[in-house]
Amino acid sequence: AQAGAVQALSGGGDMVAPARGAPRPGAVEPLPLGLQLNEAAKKVLGAVHDRTLFHTFGSGSMTDFMHNWMHHVKRLGVDNYVLAALDERTYQFCVQAGYPSAALPPATGAAAKPKAGKGEASYYRMDHELFLRMGVQKADLLGAFVRAGYDVLLSDLDVAWLSDPRPYLDPATAPDRAALMALADVVTASDAVDVSADSEAGGWLTRQEINTGVLLFRATKGAVAVIDEWRLRMVRAIEAKQWTLQNDQLFFNHAVKQRGLVPKPASGLADALAAAGRPNARELTAHPAADVRGLFQGKAELTYSRAPPHTLEAASSGGAPAARELVRFTLATFSITEFANGHTFFVQRLGEQAGLTPFMVHTTHQFADTSAYALGKRQRLREHRLWAVDPESYFADGDFLELTGSLLRPTDIADGERLYEAHDPRRHITIDARQREVLRDALALARATGGLAGGPAPPRSPRAATAASRLAPPYVHYIDGDRLRSHAARPLYGASMAAGPPPALATGPDASLARCRQLVMQGDTEEALGAFRAALCVARPSVRSCNQLLLLLADSGSASGLPAAVAGYRAMVAAGPTPTAVTYSTLISRAARANDRHLAESLFFEMQSLSVTPDTQVYNSIIATCAKAQDPEGALGYARALRARGLRPSAVTYNSLLDAFARTGNVTFMLRTFREMKLSGLAPDGRTFAIVVNGCARAERVNSAFAVLGMMRRAGLPPNAHTYSSVIHACGKATQLNRALETLAEMERDGISPNVVTWTSLIDAHGKGGRPEAALWLFGRMEACGVQPNEVTLDVLFNALMRAGQLERAVRVLQALAAGISVAAVAAGGAGELGSALGAVGTPLGSSGAGTAAAGAGWMAAPSASLRPTGRMYTTLLRRCMDVQDVVQVEATLALMRAERLSPPAKLSAELASLCGKTQQLASAFERVSLLCRSRGAQNPGGNADGPIALGVVGGAVAGARGNGDAADVLVVQVVGSEVEGAIRRSVSLAAEMARASATGARALLGLFARGARGEPG
């Protein structure tokens, strides 16, 4: 492989790229490809003579675009290309079409796989989760080709290649302006539309949004490290289920730009160019012209691993560690003129203005795509004769109305420019209204001549074609012909705009948001977002009003509130007004509240890329996000960045840092930060003390917690119930029970009522300390104080009784809960008191006629009366009773479960049947068997998914009765005559168990087998 031979070993997955020329610096040592290849791909890779591989990827909904991409690549004479299939449907499509295709092996990690039933019929771009999982697949496929030694020129399916870029990408043959770019590990496209950003002063687009639709990865360690870092960030977001408003492009920008990019030092560049065969290498690097595109490198090192990440995830943890090293990657950008995006090609037409043909066009900045298909992208390509998929009949069949000449008169443009300023969107709307009037009239004329009017539509409806008359830039819109035909009878919006804005917009810019606020208050966030976008385009509200609306959206309480607020912010970025630090602080703080760290950091990153300087409030929000994510190192990093900007930390800053250390149990750093806060002159507030006390308590530093509590009192800040509860909980974990009770008394002296957390902590501490009587007494006090227990409180009380082996009392707790009476009084009293209480409330579990109605009213007044026992309580009690073979309590617990219409888990039912068999509780054993079989529909347990469970119950009962001949005889007779009789002949193990149990069992089995020999299944 290293000598350059291309080998097709097991199934074609062990190919490597051909060697060519001198080894480049930092090149990878080729690995076998390790992908699933179809025959066409094996043939292409086996004959390839150039290691630059054209690569794309697609899903089942994008097969039309695959045809189009392949058409343009083949037209250029490119023969080394591979199409990556993201699902089985696409792979089979490529096999049938003869397209060279690769797919990930079946053992790929779960993060790259879409959920079952999703993906093949979906346009991935419109599904946040699928789109992010697609990004992981893309990274895995890219990593495999790059590790195999290929330079990979990746492009999305909606890219149309117009000329061959390979000479431009080779440092030996590239024009001077692209020579340094051709040395980069990674070369990226951009979403930028401002030509001034594509210059040395603009940072050669590195400050703009990178678009992952066109990327070049060299076969270098730096490129592999970028791919792996990109993949890691996407996998983390998928594992956290944080894919809303996230996509692979966002994480790629984070991976290469979040740690910073700096110009690559000139030393060594001349040697690299000379080694690549460039004759003017020294002159080019010593005195570069102004148009020579810059080469950048990452400030921080990334980790390079020779083994692919998805194979490491699939491997067992016991394997040998993969070889890793730290590397620094280099990056450059493609020109937005020569590698055009949708705006620079279709609207600005920068290539035409520069007198050159772009290498490609990527149909970004388009509209009208749906969850099923990229309609807008297809239409853009059709309009410019770059869509090669339509049959000839699409253009030849039917009658056509052709519009020729300009759709705009000079007076139309002059009217718009006279009425509105250049930055006013209404100028655009007014001028464009004339174009839409012409299109409307053309549709009306086509309809009047029979093409679109009544009756059944002909096989090919005539079209109004604008091929001969382009819409005048920048007044260009996507025109959906199908939709226009379906609405041809309706009046089109636009003619009235020439006279000025609609009356509803004349009441002031900020008044236009009143409707948005009203919709948010009504809970309709989607409509509010639409109204907000419309207001931004026409009314130009102030940034303050926009920020207020974003806050209202984010705090609406709806699940779609925060995503709608973020979408509104993105509309502000596109249409104005420019977001301010307040905008970002609002959104980042709400992202922190939603525990969405990825969103918070992406907003923080975008803020700086748009030259908005973060203030202290923004830093506080992002530090709080790190604290909630339990990342104190990240919080410290942002705090250092705050100081580096010359900003002074506030009390909120320190509180967030303290919270980050408290959540992770790092008490030493927490106390050090606490002292630093006081030395800085900032006075700790109540929240500060509460965080520090809670942190000490969480780490079981009881003495430190009490010391800080004393400082808090001396500062004149009374502790609240939550702070006291934390200290009491710490005392309980440290088994300082008397100190916990003293703190409770102190809390009550301060006039603070203990809450349910306080009481639960106390009960749990005494239960774990082996004091069940004290736990019951505390539960009674809680009820007497009118505090409502929750399920956690009941659990800790129940567990306290279980630890002490007081099973009878535990059963009484369940009985009291089931009956809706006071738990503490019944659990503390005897069985007679329980019977009186149950009789008083008229429950069938008590003694008939015992007690009085007044007594019943007293019992029912307990706060615990509204709680019900949980299934986990029943299961825990049954398990403990079985451990000590207490059949009486088992029966009592089962009776309560039947009253609650609950059943034990199937596995536990088998063990119960066995216990009943061993203790000669034959009726209970058979009841367990029959109930399970009936409840699960196991008339034929051997033949369905519940069969093994039912047979396990039967086997447990029979095995338990073995050794007691009479008991086994009775049980065998009952089982053989039951619903599960048919299953016995299907279970060798159960049949053997019955034969071992007794002679009756053996004779019963002989009878069953005899019947089976007469034709019954068996």
Side-chain angles (χ1 to χ4, degrees):
Q2 295 180 19
V6 178
Q7 301 177 6
L9 301 178
S10 56
D14 294 321
M15 294 182 173
V16 295
R20 186 184 64 177
R24 62 163 67 107
V28 298
E29 180 182 351
L31 282 176
L33 191 55
L35 297 176
Q36 178 183 345
L37 303 175
N38 65 7
E39 291 302 321
K42 295 175 193 175
K43 183 177 179 181
V44 166
L45 295 176
V48 70
H49 54 80
D50 187 334
R51 68 182 176 193
T52 300
L53 187 70
F54 278 66
H55 186 50
T56 191
F57 54 92
S59 64
S61 68
M62 298 290 285
T63 52
D64 284 356
F65 281 84
M66 293 178 203
H67 286 306
N68 200 64
W69 188 89
M70 291 290 292
H71 168 82
H72 288 287
V73 169
K74 287 181 176 180
R75 187 178 55 80
L76 301 180
V78 174
D79 56 2
N80 50 322
Y81 51 85
V82 173
L83 203 156
L86 301 184
D87 51 49
E88 182 61 23
R89 172 183 168 188
T90 309
Y91 187 78
Q92 294 304 324
F93 164 80
C94 292
V95 170
Q96 294 173 7
Y99 292 162
S101 180
L104 291 172
T108 305
K113 298 175 182 176
K115 293 190 294 187
K118 295 187 71 175
E120 293 194 352
S122 301
Y123 176 33
Y124 280 30
R125 186 67 181 85
M126 295 302 177
D127 187 308
H128 295 300
E129 178 186 354
L130 283 177
F131 198 51
L132 195 55
R133 290 185 184 275
M134 179 209 69
V136 178
Q137 285 186 284
K138 184 176 12 175
D140 285 339
L141 289 157
L142 280 169
F145 281 111
V146 174
R147 282 181 165 92
Y150 293 96
D151 292 347
V152 179
L153 181 57
L154 171 74
S155 59
D156 285 354
L157 281 174
D158 61 329
V159 166
W161 287 100
L162 308 179
S163 58
D164 190 349
R166 286 176 294 180
Y168 185 90
L169 305 177
D170 188 334
T173 57
D176 286 352
R177 65 182 184 276
L180 295 181
M181 181 204 78
L183 293 174
D185 296 323
V186 181
V187 188
T188 70
S190 177
D191 274 336
V193 298
D194 185 358
V195 184
S196 64
D198 199 4
S199 63
E200 184 178 7
W204 295 113
L205 301 173
T206 56
R207 301 168 197 161
Q208 307 298 314
E209 176 86 357
I210 289 173
N211 185 286
T212 53
V214 181
L215 297 169
L216 174 66
F217 290 96
R218 303 288 188 188
T220 61
K221 295 177 180 179
V224 171
V226 168
I227 294 170
D228 289 354
E229 177 71 15
W230 179 26
R231 182 188 189 278
L232 176 63
R233 290 171 181 258
M234 290 187 287
V235 169
R236 285 175 176 170
I238 289 170
E239 290 173 347
K241 297 185 178 180
Q242 293 179 339
W243 41 66
T244 304
L245 300 175
Q246 314 277 12
N247 55 50
D248 67 314
Q249 181 167 303
L250 173 69
F251 291 106
F252 186 88
N253 277 269
H254 286 187
V256 300
K257 293 165 72 173
Q258 196 166 38
R259 301 176 188 180
L261 292 169
V262 294
K264 171 77 174 172
S267 60
L269 293 181
D271 292 338
L273 286 173
R278 191 169 192 90
N280 64 337
R282 305 291 173 189
E283 177 186 351
L284 184 65
T285 54
H287 305 288
D291 65 342
V292 174
R293 304 190 69 78
L295 181 64
F296 298 83
Q297 70 178 13
K299 282 185 180 179
E301 294 177 314
L302 299 179
T303 301
Y304 162 73
S305 170
R306 189 162 184 255
H310 67 85
T311 60
L312 296 176
E313 291 170 1
S316 62
S317 58
R324 298 175 185 271
E325 62 179 284
L326 293 176
V327 297
R328 185 168 276 118
F329 68 93
T330 55
L331 180 139
T333 61
F334 291 121
S335 161
I336 56 174
T337 301
E338 296 174 295
F339 291 78
N341 59 48
H343 201 279
T344 60
F345 184 87
F346 296 117
V347 180
Q348 298 184 58
R349 297 174 185 153
L350 296 183
E352 291 181 19
Q353 296 179 33
L356 55 84
T357 300
F359 290 106
M360 44 71 63
V361 55
H362 185 194
T363 55
T364 56
H365 300 284
Q366 308 307 316
F367 302 94
D369 293 344
T370 71
S371 60
Y373 196 81
L375 297 170
K377 295 177 183 295
R378 181 181 67 182
Q379 185 65 20
R380 271 299 198 192
L381 293 170
R382 273 178 174 165
E383 289 172 356
H384 285 260
R385 294 187 170 90
L386 295 175
W387 184 251
V389 181
D390 291 323
E392 186 60 30
S393 59
Y394 180 85
F395 303 97
D397 292 357
D399 298 322
F400 289 82
L401 173 69
E402 183 176 3
L403 304 178
T404 59
S406 174
L407 298 188
L408 282 178
R409 298 166 300 198
T411 54
D412 296 326
I413 299 176
D415 287 344
E417 293 176 347
R418 176 176 51 81
L419 289 171
Y420 302 106
E421 298 291 334
H423 65 270
D424 195 323
R426 288 176 293 182
R427 171 187 282 195
H428 166 82
I429 293 172
T430 300
I431 297 174
D432 182 61
R434 172 59 186 163
Q435 298 186 123
R436 282 182 280 121
E437 286 179 5
V438 174
L439 288 174
R440 178 199 61 192
D441 294 346
L443 286 168
L445 181 57
R447 181 173 182 175
T449 56
L452 297 173
R460 287 287 178 180
S461 298
R463 298 166 183 79
T466 59
S469 56
R470 290 179 175 176
L471 302 179
Y475 312 109
V476 176
H477 279 283
Y478 161 66
I479 304 299
D480 183 343
D482 293 334
R483 182 172 299 177
L484 281 175
R485 282 196 297 275
S486 65
H487 291 74
R490 304 181 185 179
L492 292 179
Y493 166 73
S496 62
M497 288 303 298
L505 301 177
T507 55
D510 292 344
S512 64
L513 297 184
R515 174 62 177 162
C516 305
R517 288 189 286 270
Q518 181 183 1
L519 289 168
V520 174
M521 300 304 291
Q522 294 171 354
D524 197 341
T525 54
E526 291 298 326
E527 285 293 327
L529 179 60
F532 180 55
R533 285 174 172 149
L536 290 175
C537 290
V538 180
R540 299 186 63 80
S542 66
V543 67
R544 180 180 179 184
S545 298
C546 292
N547 290 342
Q548 290 172 349
L549 183 66
L550 295 184
L551 178 62
L552 193 62
L553 278 167
D555 290 345
S556 64
S558 166
S560 60
L562 180 58
V566 175
Y569 146 75
R570 304 217 183 275
M572 285 176 64
V573 172
T578 302
T580 63
V582 176
T583 313
Y584 289 100
S585 177
T586 299
L587 295 174
I588 291 171
S589 64
R590 269 54 189 180
R593 185 186 299 173
N595 294 325
D596 193 341
R597 181 179 178 180
H598 288 289
L599 174 59
E601 290 190 324
S602 67
L603 290 167
F604 184 78
F605 173 70
E606 290 175 23
M607 172 185 191
Q608 296 175 85
S609 70
L610 293 174
S611 302
V612 180
T613 304
D615 58 14
T616 304
Q617 189 173 356
V618 172
Y619 276 107
N620 289 344
S621 298
I622 199 70
I623 292 170
T625 306
C626 293
K628 289 189 176 182
Q630 299 188 16
D631 180 12
E633 292 182 3
L636 270 177
Y638 285 115
R640 294 191 190 102
L642 179 148
R643 291 190 177 94
R645 284 191 177 273
L647 301 173
R648 185 170 182 266
S650 65
V652 177
T653 313
Y654 279 106
N655 286 348
S656 297
L657 281 172
L658 292 169
D659 190 34
F661 292 124
R663 288 173 183 267
T664 53
N666 197 333
V667 178
T668 302
F669 275 91
M670 180 186 70
L671 294 176
R672 186 182 301 172
T673 305
F674 183 54
R675 286 192 293 272
E676 179 187 322
M677 178 182 183
K678 292 191 291 183
L679 290 174
S680 71
L682 291 171
D685 55 18
R687 173 162 169 73
T688 310
F689 282 112
I691 291 171
V692 177
V693 170
N694 294 341
C696 294
R698 187 180 283 116
E700 300 183 35
R701 298 274 289 270
V702 180
N703 291 335
S704 298
F706 275 103
V708 177
L709 197 64
M711 294 170 58
M712 187 176 186
R713 288 198 189 91
R714 290 192 293 275
L717 299 169
N720 58 22
H722 181 66
T723 307
Y724 273 119
S725 299
S726 298
V727 174
I728 289 171
H729 183 65
C731 293
K733 292 179 72 175
T735 64
Q736 299 183 20
L737 304 182
N738 291 335
R739 204 170 185 182
L741 290 174
E742 290 169 2
T743 306
L744 175 67
E746 184 178 345
M747 179 181 184
E748 291 177 325
R749 282 197 300 272
D750 287 346
I752 299 174
S753 300
N755 58 24
V756 66
V757 177
T758 313
W759 290 112
T760 301
S761 299
L762 279 167
I763 294 166
D764 190 35
H766 285 78
K768 291 176 178 176
R771 297 183 180 180
E773 300 294 339
L776 277 169
W777 178 80
L778 288 166
F779 192 91
R781 276 207 60 192
M782 178 180 66
E783 288 190 321
C785 292
V787 178
Q788 170 73 48
N790 55 27
E791 288 189 0
V792 179
T793 317
L794 290 173
D795 270 344
V796 299
L797 175 64
F798 187 76
N799 291 333
L801 299 175
M802 296 295 292
R803 285 192 195 92
Q806 297 185 10
L807 303 183
E808 185 179 353
R809 269 185 167 172
V811 171
R812 289 208 299 270
V813 167
L814 294 181
Q815 290 173 329
L817 286 171
I821 59 179
S822 170
V823 169
V826 170
E833 187 170 356
L834 172 64
S836 299
L838 295 174
V841 296
T843 174
L845 296 175
S847 305
S848 62
T852 64
W859 289 108
M860 293 299 291
S864 60
S866 61
L867 292 172
R868 309 298 297 171
T870 63
R872 187 159 54 87
M873 289 182 177
Y874 285 121
T875 302
T876 303
L877 181 56
L878 282 173
R879 178 73 64 189
R880 189 60 184 274
C881 293
M882 289 165 58
D883 289 343
V884 299
Q885 296 193 4
D886 190 339
V887 180
V888 174
Q889 300 304 333
V890 167
E891 289 299 325
T893 306
L894 289 173
L896 284 170
M897 292 185 75
R898 283 194 295 273
E900 293 282 320
R901 296 185 178 181
L902 296 174
S903 297
K907 185 178 178 182
L908 192 60
S909 292
E911 296 177 22
L912 282 170
S914 179
L915 173 65
C916 294
K918 289 177 183 178
T919 54
Q920 301 183 35
Q921 303 287 326
L922 302 182
S924 294
F926 185 69
E927 181 185 19
R928 291 290 92 215
V929 174
S930 300
L931 280 176
L932 184 68
C933 293
R934 284 197 296 269
S935 65
R936 290 181 170 265
Q939 299 296 331
N940 180 9
N944 58 40
D946 293 321
I949 299 171
L951 293 177
V953 176
V954 177
V958 175
R962 192 196 306 168
N964 184 339
D966 294 339
D969 288 346
V970 173
L971 185 58
V972 165
V973 170
Q974 287 181 312
V975 170
V976 169
S978 72
E979 306 93 323
V980 296
E981 175 183 320
I984 299 172
R985 291 195 296 275
R986 293 175 174 82
S987 174
V988 175
S989 60
L990 177 58
E993 197 65 66
M994 292 183 66
R996 292 189 193 103
S998 70
T1000 302
R1003 284 193 295 272
L1005 285 176
L1006 287 173
L1008 288 172
F1009 292 142
R1011 291 199 295 276
R1014 290 195 296 269
E1016 294 186 14

